[in-house]
Amino acid sequence: MKALLEELKAKNLINEELNDNSDLPVHLLSRQGAEYTQAQRDFALTLHLHGPKAYHYLRDDLKIHLPHPSSLKRSVFTVKMSEEVLLARVKALEEEVGRLKAQLKVERDGAGTEERTEASDSFKHQKGEENRSKQKKRGAERPFDFSAHPRRHVALRLAYLGWQYQGFAVQENTDNTVEARLFEALLKTKLIQDRQTSNYHRCGRTDKGVSAFSQVISIDLRSTQCGGGLGVTVPAGVEVKGKASAEELPYVKILNRVLPQDIRILQWAPVESGFSARFDCRSRTYRYYFPRGDLDVERMAEAVKRYEGTHDFRNLCKMDVGNGVLQFQRTILSATVQPAQLNPSCPDDPHQLYVFQVKGLAFLYHQVRCMMALLLLIGQKLEAPEIIDQLMDVEKNPRKPQYSMAVDYPLVLYDCQFEGVDWRNETEEETHVLNSLHQHWVQNAVKTQVLLGMIQGLQKNTTTEMTSLQCWLMEGSRQKKYQPLLERPRCQSLESRIQHFVKRGRLEQEGENGEETTVFRGKKSKHSHLTNTNQLQEQNHGAKTEENLQL
């Protein structure tokens, strides 16, 4: 190895730094094959760095096997980044930092005044933001001044899916009602100050699990119309302008932004100050959806016509005597049973949905669900269609037979009719409501098809007939042996229930000119917010149309 190095030195192919490697064994230069030891790589690297000409002379001319230069790149990079190289790099960076500092100092000296001005502006801006933030906090603490705004009596039309709620009207034992969510939104948006002073009326109160497409309420809301207008009341002290403001508050948009997704405001309308959603309603329409199953729907469609007209429905409702409902005659304008959607390809499909639709002036507590229960019994051929006439004949049947009513979730308050109400739409909100309803439909339609697929899969290889569906639409358990309605035990008569509540002090009987009259005293409730004005209004409308509408 020493002789070889001397030869390379004589040819000026290496420098003095390779003398330290003169004692390396010659086998470091004679190794063949693809693999090299670390000692071979170190020698080749040293030779490549300090005698590159010698490296190429040994590898290319003498054909001595040495690692290829490309395999030494990582090692070369490591050696290049030695302590000396790093120190030189640090020194260069320090010089660059010094140059940049000098340049920055020159720029500051040339624009010192401008910089101080900008700093001052920045400080002022920051202080201004802090002050505005404090003002917002103080504003949040300061109560909203309703006396500085006009009020407008309006009608709101809303839809809701009632399956997750305990009914529409507020209740003392729960706040999970549609009306509770509605008033939370009205208070949050500052559209009303409180319920007591809002002049509030509802068209009907649906029961637990019942939905609505056209529920209507009337209420006084905050307005922008300082110049007056239909239903507008301008408080004393507020400047009255010559013309009404161009735009009223977007009530639909405001409320839908804070209401749950299963409660949607559809439209609003300005109405006269004396308008009542309850007493000015001309008719109400309910729909009850049910599958055909093995029901005789033609028989049901014939029987339902017996409901039309004015009848005493005390045997087809829950008598709410304790709340002062003492008159049970109601007028049904129309009643039908028909397919929800026509399916000409398979008219006898047991899974096809039908709808019982009934339109009337007013309804009693649970009346529609009791009417539907009778139709289901008739459709199963457990009762004759004449049972409807028999139960509406209170002279022959003054006491209601004990029977279960239809379940709640298929029932919908579908329409409420008013005269002279100019409903106003908000186009943007219509799109949002449609998207929301379509989302609900997609979720439930897919679940329905999944279940239907399972049913059809089980029925493929069996001759078993489909289980009767109508039994799932009746509350309670189904009797093993059916007992006809007129043979069943009876509930208390109307007279017995009146006497019961007279004894409890809920009703009073007054005599005048030899005639006895029953007067409802009522019960106190934390949700009883009728003002004297509202009470007078009810008297003027004639409380003879008392109905609970909790169906």
Side-chain angles (χ1 to χ4, degrees):
M1 176 63 77
K2 184 176 182 181
L4 180 59
L5 293 176
E6 289 294 337
E7 178 185 351
L8 296 174
K9 185 176 181 182
K11 293 182 178 183
N12 292 322
L13 297 179
I14 62 173
N15 53 30
E16 294 292 338
E17 296 185 33
L18 281 179
N19 288 338
D20 294 338
N21 293 302
S22 59
D23 59 346
L24 289 173
V26 178
H27 77 270
L28 289 177
L29 302 178
S30 59
R31 176 69 177 257
Q32 295 188 12
E35 299 297 329
Y36 296 92
T37 65
Q38 187 60 40
Q40 287 176 312
R41 291 183 181 277
D42 292 343
F43 173 76
L45 180 59
T46 305
L47 188 63
H48 185 271
L49 292 176
H50 300 287
K53 294 180 180 179
Y55 175 84
H56 290 290
Y57 172 73
L58 293 175
R59 180 179 173 84
D60 300 332
D61 296 346
L62 299 184
K63 305 301 182 183
I64 296 175
H65 290 280
L66 292 173
H68 193 273
S70 62
S71 68
L72 301 173
K73 286 183 178 180
R74 288 190 295 272
S75 299
V76 172
F77 176 77
T78 303
V79 173
K80 283 184 178 180
M81 294 302 291
S82 61
E83 184 178 356
E84 294 179 358
V85 176
L86 290 174
L87 290 174
R89 180 61 177 160
V90 170
K91 185 176 180 181
L93 291 174
E94 288 177 347
E95 292 176 355
E96 179 67 14
V97 171
R99 186 184 66 78
L100 292 175
K101 283 183 177 181
Q103 182 179 350
L104 183 61
K105 184 178 180 181
V106 172
E107 292 177 356
R108 283 180 175 177
D109 292 342
T113 304
E114 181 180 352
E115 181 180 349
R116 285 191 294 272
T117 302
E118 291 178 354
S120 177
D121 292 343
S122 176
F123 176 76
K124 291 179 180 179
H125 177 73
Q126 182 178 358
K127 293 298 290 183
E129 289 294 330
E130 292 178 357
N131 291 335
R132 280 192 290 272
S133 177
K134 292 179 181 179
Q135 289 175 359
K136 286 183 178 179
K137 290 181 180 179
R138 286 196 297 268
E141 297 171 358
R142 186 170 60 250
F144 189 85
D145 187 7
F146 284 92
S147 64
H149 300 271
R151 299 172 65 180
R152 188 168 203 169
H153 196 55
V154 304
L156 295 178
R157 179 169 170 250
L158 63 148
Y160 52 86
L161 302 176
W163 306 318
Q164 304 300 323
Y165 295 98
Q166 298 297 312
F168 179 78
V170 292
Q171 301 175 32
E172 295 192 16
N173 58 347
T174 179
D175 63 350
N176 183 31
T177 65
V178 176
E179 199 172 68
R181 299 287 87 77
L182 180 61
F183 271 94
E184 285 176 4
L186 290 167
L187 293 169
K188 184 176 182 179
T189 55
K190 306 298 183 185
L191 289 177
I192 64 170
Q193 185 172 3
D194 51 49
R195 176 170 176 153
Q196 292 90 329
T197 60
S198 64
N199 191 19
Y200 171 73
H201 287 92
R202 53 177 173 256
C203 182
R205 56 180 290 168
T206 54
D207 199 12
K208 172 183 177 294
V210 179
S211 302
F213 174 65
S214 188
Q215 175 70 279
V216 175
I217 66 170
S218 54
I219 192 169
D220 288 348
L221 300 182
R222 174 168 56 89
S223 173
T224 61
Q225 306 298 296
C226 294
L230 181 60
V232 176
T233 301
V234 181
V238 175
E239 181 181 356
V240 180
K241 299 180 181 179
K243 295 183 179 180
S245 302
E247 295 291 338
E248 182 58 280
L249 291 173
Y251 296 124
V252 177
K253 180 177 181 179
I254 291 173
L255 289 171
N256 281 344
R257 291 300 179 271
V258 295
L259 282 169
Q261 286 296 313
D262 51 5
I263 304 175
R264 300 284 89 184
I265 305 297
L266 304 179
Q267 297 170 311
W268 77 277
V271 291
E272 296 288 349
S273 299
F275 176 87
S276 168
R278 178 183 178 186
F279 294 107
D280 287 313
C281 181
R282 294 297 177 236
S283 68
R284 299 166 174 89
T285 301
Y286 283 86
R287 286 185 174 183
Y288 194 103
Y289 295 88
F290 63 97
R292 178 188 180 99
D294 61 355
L295 292 171
D296 188 340
V297 290
E298 289 78 14
R299 197 166 186 250
M300 295 171 67
E302 176 188 352
V304 77
K305 292 299 180 182
R306 299 171 184 264
Y307 287 134
E308 295 181 350
T310 302
H311 306 283
D312 192 312
F313 285 92
R314 70 180 65 182
N315 291 330
L316 287 91
C317 72
K318 179 179 179 180
M319 288 194 294
D320 200 17
V321 177
N323 284 320
V325 181
L326 306 175
Q327 210 277 350
F328 295 92
Q329 280 198 345
R330 295 293 182 269
T331 299
I332 302 300
L333 301 176
S334 65
T336 59
V337 170
Q338 56 190 3
Q341 288 185 337
L342 294 176
N343 186 8
S345 61
C346 191
D348 297 328
D349 181 6
H351 297 102
Q352 183 177 5
L353 288 179
Y354 276 69
V355 58
F356 162 46
Q357 179 167 299
V358 56
K359 179 179 180 180
L361 302 182
F363 293 85
L364 296 160
Y365 189 12
H366 289 164
Q367 179 182 341
V368 176
R369 291 168 63 185
C370 289
M371 294 168 71
M372 184 64 202
L374 290 190
L375 290 176
L376 290 174
L377 294 175
I378 294 169
Q380 295 175 79
K381 300 181 180 180
L382 297 175
E383 294 285 349
E386 289 76 20
I387 189 64
I388 295 177
D389 297 321
Q390 292 171 336
L391 290 181
M392 291 191 299
D393 186 350
V394 295
E395 295 294 330
K396 293 183 178 180
N397 292 289
R399 297 168 60 192
K400 175 186 175 183
Q402 295 179 3
Y403 63 90
S404 299
M405 61 183 176
V407 295
D408 48 30
Y409 62 87
L411 183 58
V412 180
L413 174 57
Y414 190 74
D415 191 23
C416 298
Q417 289 291 327
F418 296 87
E419 290 183 1
V421 175
D422 181 20
W423 294 107
R424 299 187 181 183
N425 300 312
E426 296 179 14
T427 306
E428 180 183 356
E429 284 309 300
E430 285 182 335
T431 302
H432 285 302
V433 172
L434 283 173
N435 288 338
S436 178
L437 291 176
H438 188 259
Q439 181 181 3
H440 285 293
W441 177 84
V442 168
Q443 293 172 352
N444 289 282
V446 169
K447 292 177 182 178
T448 300
Q449 195 59 41
V450 169
L451 293 172
L452 184 58
M454 293 179 179
I455 293 171
Q456 292 173 342
L458 288 172
Q459 290 179 335
K460 272 186 179 180
N461 301 321
T462 181
T463 58
T464 304
E465 293 292 332
M466 187 186 74
T467 304
S468 299
L469 295 178
Q470 67 275 9
C471 62
W472 304 118
L473 294 179
M474 297 286 284
E475 289 190 343
S477 58
R478 188 175 183 181
Q479 299 175 339
K480 293 182 179 179
K481 183 179 180 181
Y482 181 76
Q483 184 179 15
L485 291 181
L486 296 181
E487 298 177 9
R488 296 186 185 185
R490 303 297 179 103
C491 301
Q492 284 184 319
S493 66
L494 174 60
E495 293 73 20
S496 297
R497 293 189 63 80
I498 290 175
Q499 291 301 319
H500 169 76
F501 286 105
V502 167
K503 291 178 180 179
R504 294 183 59 182
R506 295 275 293 279
L507 296 174
E508 288 184 355
Q509 288 185 331
E510 300 176 353
E512 184 176 347
N513 297 328
E515 295 183 1
E516 193 175 68
T517 305
T518 303
V519 179
F520 175 57
R521 293 183 60 184
K523 59 179 180 178
K524 294 183 179 180
S525 168
K526 64 180 181 180
H527 296 300
S528 298
H529 299 314
L530 287 176
T531 61
N532 293 332
T533 302
N534 289 341
Q535 292 173 348
L536 180 61
Q537 184 185 42
E538 290 190 13
Q539 294 173 7
N540 292 337
H541 279 86
K544 64 181 180 180
T545 59
E546 298 165 349
E547 75 274 0
N548 204 321
L549 287 169
Q550 190 172 355
L551 303 173

